[in-house]
């Protein structure tokens, strides 16, 4: 069991550019979550997938943010026309739908810096 | 609405106890507790679902009050490894997976 992996681990981009992050959940975990975390704050929910279906999305997720999980395995989060306020750590987590503890296993995150 | 945690920060000596509270203005469905060390991802500690529930073990345990508006995390005989930021993560209703994290409590254990 290799854990949740995220790539890239760090991304520096210029304002206005598009960026895409990838999350590979733990094998067989059918639930996948994306969060954003800024310094000193708790993770902020962005979106949730059950298999390939995107079932919940934060209103904070503006038109510039989109997430996909095309085959119910890995997921991508894209930010279009990045702004300096998008600078944050983007965390992915996964869990099993039959786990009564609903334990979420977090990946190491992708740290984004928008210049 | 984001749950409020108290205290915001606490410093302990090894062996001392601590209590971290997570409060919501409205009843919650579930509470998860996580610990996050600096530069690392959050790590799950436990979940509480029932009002009046208490669970955990001797060293780290948690409770959920009857009204399901407050949860407390109890750290007993703290160790250096307990240092980090503690977050509660809550859901308001059954069937939602929109987890709302609390404001966080920074805990530092000194030798």
């Amino acid at each position: 069991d290799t854990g949740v992996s995220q790539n890239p681990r760090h991304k520096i981009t210029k304002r206005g550019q598009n960026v895409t992050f990838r999350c590979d959940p733990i094998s067989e975990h059918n639930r996948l979550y994306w969060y954003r975390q800024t310094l000193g704050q708790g993770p902020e929910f962005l979106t949730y997938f059950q298999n390939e279906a995107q079932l919940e999305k934060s209103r904070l997720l503006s038109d510039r943010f989109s997430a996909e999980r095309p085959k119910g395995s890995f997921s991508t989060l894209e930010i279009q026309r990045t702004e300096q306020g998008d600078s944050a750590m983007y965390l992915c987590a996964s869990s099993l739908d039959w786990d009564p503890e609903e334990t979420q296993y977090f990946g190491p995150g992708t740290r984004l810096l928008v210049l | 609405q984001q749950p409020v945690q108290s205290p915001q920060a606490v410093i302990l000596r090894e062996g001392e106890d601590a209590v971290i509270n997570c409060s919501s203005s409205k009843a919650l469905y579930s509470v998860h507790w996580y610990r996050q060390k600096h530069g690392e991802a959050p790590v799950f500690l436990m979940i509480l679902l029932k009002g009046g529930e208490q669970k955990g073990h001797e060293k780290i345990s948690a409770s959920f009050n009857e009204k399901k508006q407050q949860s407390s995390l109890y750290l007993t005989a703290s160790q250096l490894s307990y240092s980090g930021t503690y977050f509660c993560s809550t859901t308001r209703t059954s069937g939602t997976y929109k987890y709302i994290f609390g404001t966080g409590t920074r805990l530092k254990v000194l030798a």
Side-chain angles (χ1 to χ4, degrees), chain B residues 81-98:
Chain B
S81 62
Y82 286 6
S83 293
T85 301
Y86 289 78
F87 292 102
C88 60
S89 169
T90 62
T91 57
R92 293 283 295 278
T93 60
S94 165
T96 180
Y97 298 95
K98 182 180 178 182

mmCIF file of all heavy atoms in Angstrom, chain B residues 81-98:
data_model
loop_
_atom_site.group_PDB
_atom_site.id
_atom_site.type_symbol
_atom_site.label_atom_id
_atom_site.label_comp_id
_atom_site.label_asym_id
_atom_site.label_seq_id
_atom_site.Cartn_x
_atom_site.Cartn_y
_atom_site.Cartn_z
ATOM 1 N N SER B 81 6.111 13.721 20.661
ATOM 2 C CA SER B 81 5.516 13.405 19.353
ATOM 3 C C SER B 81 4.103 13.962 19.199
ATOM 4 O O SER B 81 3.558 13.972 18.095
ATOM 5 C CB SER B 81 5.494 11.891 19.137
ATOM 6 O OG SER B 81 4.692 11.267 20.132
ATOM 7 N N TYR B 82 3.513 14.436 20.272
ATOM 8 C CA TYR B 82 2.164 14.998 20.172
ATOM 9 C C TYR B 82 2.171 16.414 19.588
ATOM 10 O O TYR B 82 1.126 16.949 19.246
ATOM 11 C CB TYR B 82 1.508 15.060 21.556
ATOM 12 C CG TYR B 82 1.062 13.736 22.124
ATOM 13 C CD1 TYR B 82 1.342 12.535 21.481
ATOM 14 C CD2 TYR B 82 0.368 13.685 23.322
ATOM 15 C CE1 TYR B 82 0.942 11.331 22.019
ATOM 16 C CE2 TYR B 82 -0.049 12.490 23.865
ATOM 17 C CZ TYR B 82 0.243 11.311 23.221
ATOM 18 O OH TYR B 82 -0.152 10.118 23.761
ATOM 19 N N SER B 83 3.329 17.014 19.481
ATOM 20 C CA SER B 83 3.409 18.379 18.950
ATOM 21 C C SER B 83 2.862 18.440 17.529
ATOM 22 O O SER B 83 3.099 17.533 16.729
ATOM 23 C CB SER B 83 4.862 18.863 18.958
ATOM 24 O OG SER B 83 5.334 19.015 20.279
ATOM 25 N N GLY B 84 2.155 19.508 17.247
ATOM 26 C CA GLY B 84 1.577 19.687 15.922
ATOM 27 C C GLY B 84 0.334 20.551 16.027
ATOM 28 O O GLY B 84 0.034 21.105 17.088
ATOM 29 N N THR B 85 -0.381 20.651 14.926
ATOM 30 C CA THR B 85 -1.640 21.399 14.926
ATOM 31 C C THR B 85 -2.783 20.402 14.847
ATOM 32 O O THR B 85 -2.776 19.507 13.994
ATOM 33 C CB THR B 85 -1.699 22.389 13.753
ATOM 34 O OG1 THR B 85 -0.605 23.299 13.846
ATOM 35 C CG2 THR B 85 -3.004 23.174 13.794
ATOM 36 N N TYR B 86 -3.742 20.556 15.723
ATOM 37 C CA TYR B 86 -4.887 19.661 15.788
ATOM 38 C C TYR B 86 -6.100 20.340 15.165
ATOM 39 O O TYR B 86 -6.397 21.498 15.462
ATOM 40 C CB TYR B 86 -5.175 19.266 17.237
ATOM 41 C CG TYR B 86 -4.124 18.342 17.788
ATOM 42 C CD1 TYR B 86 -2.892 18.839 18.210
ATOM 43 C CD2 TYR B 86 -4.338 16.969 17.862
ATOM 44 C CE1 TYR B 86 -1.908 17.999 18.696
ATOM 45 C CE2 TYR B 86 -3.361 16.118 18.347
ATOM 46 C CZ TYR B 86 -2.152 16.638 18.759
ATOM 47 O OH TYR B 86 -1.173 15.789 19.226
ATOM 48 N N PHE B 87 -6.765 19.605 14.306
ATOM 49 C CA PHE B 87 -7.965 20.119 13.647
ATOM 50 C C PHE B 87 -9.137 19.181 13.905
ATOM 51 O O PHE B 87 -8.979 17.950 13.839
ATOM 52 C CB PHE B 87 -7.781 20.208 12.128
ATOM 53 C CG PHE B 87 -6.792 21.236 11.671
ATOM 54 C CD1 PHE B 87 -5.519 20.861 11.273
ATOM 55 C CD2 PHE B 87 -7.136 22.580 11.624
ATOM 56 C CE1 PHE B 87 -4.599 21.802 10.835
ATOM 57 C CE2 PHE B 87 -6.225 23.530 11.189
ATOM 58 C CZ PHE B 87 -4.954 23.137 10.803
ATOM 59 N N CYS B 88 -10.302 19.749 14.155
ATOM 60 C CA CYS B 88 -11.517 18.964 14.047
ATOM 61 C C CYS B 88 -12.052 19.180 12.634
ATOM 62 O O CYS B 88 -11.827 20.229 12.022
ATOM 63 C CB CYS B 88 -12.554 19.363 15.098
ATOM 64 S SG CYS B 88 -13.109 21.082 15.058
ATOM 65 N N SER B 89 -12.705 18.172 12.125
ATOM 66 C CA SER B 89 -13.279 18.229 10.781
ATOM 67 C C SER B 89 -14.706 17.711 10.913
ATOM 68 O O SER B 89 -14.910 16.615 11.439
ATOM 69 C CB SER B 89 -12.469 17.338 9.835
ATOM 70 O OG SER B 89 -13.126 17.170 8.602
ATOM 71 N N THR B 90 -15.676 18.498 10.463
ATOM 72 C CA THR B 90 -17.064 18.185 10.785
ATOM 73 C C THR B 90 -17.940 18.075 9.548
ATOM 74 O O THR B 90 -17.656 18.669 8.500
ATOM 75 C CB THR B 90 -17.649 19.285 11.685
ATOM 76 O OG1 THR B 90 -17.632 20.536 10.965
ATOM 77 C CG2 THR B 90 -16.833 19.464 12.956
ATOM 78 N N THR B 91 -19.011 17.302 9.691
ATOM 79 C CA THR B 91 -20.079 17.308 8.697
ATOM 80 C C THR B 91 -21.371 17.689 9.421
ATOM 81 O O THR B 91 -21.538 17.390 10.599
ATOM 82 C CB THR B 91 -20.260 15.948 8.004
ATOM 83 O OG1 THR B 91 -20.502 14.942 9.003
ATOM 84 C CG2 THR B 91 -19.025 15.569 7.212
ATOM 85 N N ARG B 92 -22.267 18.334 8.670
ATOM 86 C CA ARG B 92 -23.505 18.816 9.296
ATOM 87 C C ARG B 92 -24.648 17.812 9.183
ATOM 88 O O ARG B 92 -25.549 17.785 10.020
ATOM 89 C CB ARG B 92 -23.915 20.131 8.638
ATOM 90 C CG ARG B 92 -22.948 21.270 8.919
ATOM 91 C CD ARG B 92 -23.155 21.822 10.310
ATOM 92 N NE ARG B 92 -24.457 22.427 10.424
ATOM 93 C CZ ARG B 92 -24.736 23.653 10.020
ATOM 94 N NH1 ARG B 92 -23.803 24.399 9.491
ATOM 95 N NH2 ARG B 92 -25.950 24.135 10.163
ATOM 96 N N THR B 93 -24.644 17.024 8.106
ATOM 97 C CA THR B 93 -25.733 16.069 7.922
ATOM 98 C C THR B 93 -25.190 14.747 7.406
ATOM 99 O O THR B 93 -24.077 14.689 6.870
ATOM 100 C CB THR B 93 -26.767 16.591 6.907
ATOM 101 O OG1 THR B 93 -26.099 16.801 5.655
ATOM 102 C CG2 THR B 93 -27.403 17.882 7.361
ATOM 103 N N SER B 94 -25.997 13.717 7.550
ATOM 104 C CA SER B 94 -25.658 12.421 6.987
ATOM 105 C C SER B 94 -25.691 12.521 5.470
ATOM 106 O O SER B 94 -26.518 13.235 4.909
ATOM 107 C CB SER B 94 -26.693 11.395 7.459
ATOM 108 O OG SER B 94 -26.620 10.229 6.701
ATOM 109 N N GLY B 95 -24.802 11.815 4.814
ATOM 110 C CA GLY B 95 -24.819 11.764 3.362
ATOM 111 C C GLY B 95 -24.046 12.872 2.682
ATOM 112 O O GLY B 95 -23.965 12.902 1.454
ATOM 113 N N THR B 96 -23.489 13.794 3.463
ATOM 114 C CA THR B 96 -22.633 14.805 2.848
ATOM 115 C C THR B 96 -21.182 14.469 3.131
ATOM 116 O O THR B 96 -20.868 13.935 4.195
ATOM 117 C CB THR B 96 -22.942 16.221 3.350
ATOM 118 O OG1 THR B 96 -22.045 17.136 2.699
ATOM 119 C CG2 THR B 96 -22.725 16.353 4.846
ATOM 120 N N TYR B 97 -20.335 14.759 2.189
ATOM 121 C CA TYR B 97 -18.901 14.535 2.370
ATOM 122 C C TYR B 97 -18.146 15.857 2.262
ATOM 123 O O TYR B 97 -16.958 15.884 1.990
ATOM 124 C CB TYR B 97 -18.414 13.491 1.355
ATOM 125 C CG TYR B 97 -19.118 12.190 1.609
ATOM 126 C CD1 TYR B 97 -20.259 11.851 0.902
ATOM 127 C CD2 TYR B 97 -18.683 11.336 2.609
ATOM 128 C CE1 TYR B 97 -20.940 10.681 1.172
ATOM 129 C CE2 TYR B 97 -19.362 10.174 2.890
ATOM 130 C CZ TYR B 97 -20.496 9.846 2.169
ATOM 131 O OH TYR B 97 -21.175 8.691 2.445
ATOM 132 N N LYS B 98 -18.888 16.932 2.522
ATOM 133 C CA LYS B 98 -18.284 18.259 2.547
ATOM 134 C C LYS B 98 -17.800 18.499 3.971
ATOM 135 O O LYS B 98 -18.565 18.917 4.837
ATOM 136 C CB LYS B 98 -19.301 19.319 2.137
ATOM 137 C CG LYS B 98 -18.735 20.705 2.088
ATOM 138 C CD LYS B 98 -19.807 21.714 1.666
ATOM 139 C CE LYS B 98 -19.241 23.115 1.675
ATOM 140 N NZ LYS B 98 -20.279 24.110 1.308
#
